[in-house]
Amino acid sequence: MFKKILLITLFLLTTYASELTDILGRKVSVKDDVKKVALTFYFEEYFSVTGDEGASKIVAWSQKYWLGRRQSSWDAFIKRFPELEKVADIGYGPKKTISFEKIISLKPDVVIFAKIDYNFVKNNLEKLEKAGIASVFIDFHDENLQNHIDSMRILGKIFKKEDKVEKIVDFYTAKFKLVQDRLAAQKDLKKPKVYAEFSEKAGAKQIGVTWDDKMWGAFITLAGGQNIASGLVKGNSAVLNPELIIAKNPDVIIFAGNYFLNSFNNIPLGYKISQDVARKNLKAYENRMGWKNLNAVKNKRMYALYHDLSRHIFDFAGILFIAKAIHPELFSDIDPEAELKYFFDEFYPVKFSGTWMVKF
């Protein structure tokens, strides 16, 4: 009997890692040697941590997150890892289409959720637990630097990549500190009025959503700007009245763009996108009714950057770019795209290519 108990104890000790705490404060036990993973978001963070070996571990993910919607990213990864095209689609949290039956049938060791998924999936977490599948939540949406660092360390612990994660964290936090230190050193910092907008699939003819204190709205504040949408947005994002945008007369306008499948009406950015196409489509926005007289348009201070340089481990490049757009005199020596390329070269399994940032 003693021998049997000892064998069971040894099995448990070698099968499960030490308990970890996820970003929601939940205590979770994850298998010591994770071989099968399901992802609902944050593929960038996952691959930053796991590198090449990460592709062979994914058995399920939410395809809607990038197939068709962030097509250039999808194409880059499928070219690098063709096996990813066969990964099972488990649905999408915000659309409430995640299939827990499918997840359970695929038997992942762990499901990595975004914090924003919690309200959509909380009633099904017990099903995963009963099936012996760990569920872990991480967060990059709130633009909370400590959440980002903690989330990376959670991934590092799951995949036994703590040393690599600390190198990423050191690089990452140094970029935010650079921005914070330079702004803090200014005694009478002037804060230009800034408007941020998502470049919708229809392009300039459609007013896209903006943000209050989330995502790009949070970055405007961190970068020493005055967000004209502050206090005007209900929920995570919303469309401002076009007349209100004109009345606010922003000094700087920043668009967030990506590449939709077979669509070049918006501001396409990311892998394989040319500077010429991105700049041409950005310029089209100056022709919106009433925009010719905006300070940002008259002074040629319209910019665009890849949408997912927010809410991801890449967002250090987003904060550098926005800080330079708002305060060019303070950050003239900074090359955000070069910093992004360095990150790819050092930590990422897919090569840097295309256009991720552009100026009017």
Side-chain angles (χ1 to χ4, degrees), residues 19 27 81 84 88 90 106 147 149 151 160 172 176 181 189 196 215 224 229 254-255 261 290 303 306 340 352:
E19 192 175 63
K27 303 293 184 182
F81 303 108
L84 292 179
I90 54 173
L106 293 165
N147 273 14
I149 293 168
S151 293
K160 303 295 182 286
Y172 179 81
F176 280 86
D181 287 352
L189 182 70
M215 295 181 62
I254 298 170
F255 290 98
L261 182 60
Y303 306 81
Y306 187 55
L340 183 60
F352 180 85

Side-chain angles (χ1 to χ4, degrees), residues 284-304:
Y285 283 79
E286 73 172 341
N287 296 319
R288 279 178 167 173
M289 186 178 296
W291 276 43
K292 288 282 188 181
N293 293 320
L294 294 181
N295 288 339
V297 176
K298 288 190 297 184
N299 297 321
K300 297 190 180 299
R301 298 190 69 184
M302 284 207 308
Y303 306 81

Side-chain angles (χ1 to χ4, degrees), residues 41-55:
F41 214 94
Y42 300 139
F43 306 121
E44 289 85 349
E45 290 67 37
Y46 171 79
F47 279 108
S48 296
V49 172
T50 61
D52 287 357
E53 68 187 57

Side-chain angles (χ1 to χ4, degrees), residues 250-313:
D251 302 302
V252 179
I253 296 174
I254 298 170
F255 290 98
N258 59 10
Y259 170 52
F260 294 102
L261 182 60
N262 299 323
S263 174
F264 280 95
N265 292 319
N266 74 321
I267 305 169
L269 290 164
Y271 303 93
K272 73 183 183 183
I273 303 300
S274 73
Q275 280 270 340
D276 289 344
V277 169
R279 187 173 288 111
K280 176 185 175 183
N281 287 24
L282 171 60
K283 183 174 174 56
Y285 283 79
E286 73 172 341
N287 296 319
R288 279 178 167 173
M289 186 178 296
W291 276 43
K292 288 282 188 181
N293 293 320
L294 294 181
N295 288 339
V297 176
K298 288 190 297 184
N299 297 321
K300 297 190 180 299
R301 298 190 69 184
M302 284 207 308
Y303 306 81
L305 75 171
Y306 187 55
H307 184 44
D308 286 301
L309 292 181
S310 164
R311 71 180 179 191
H312 284 297
I313 192 62

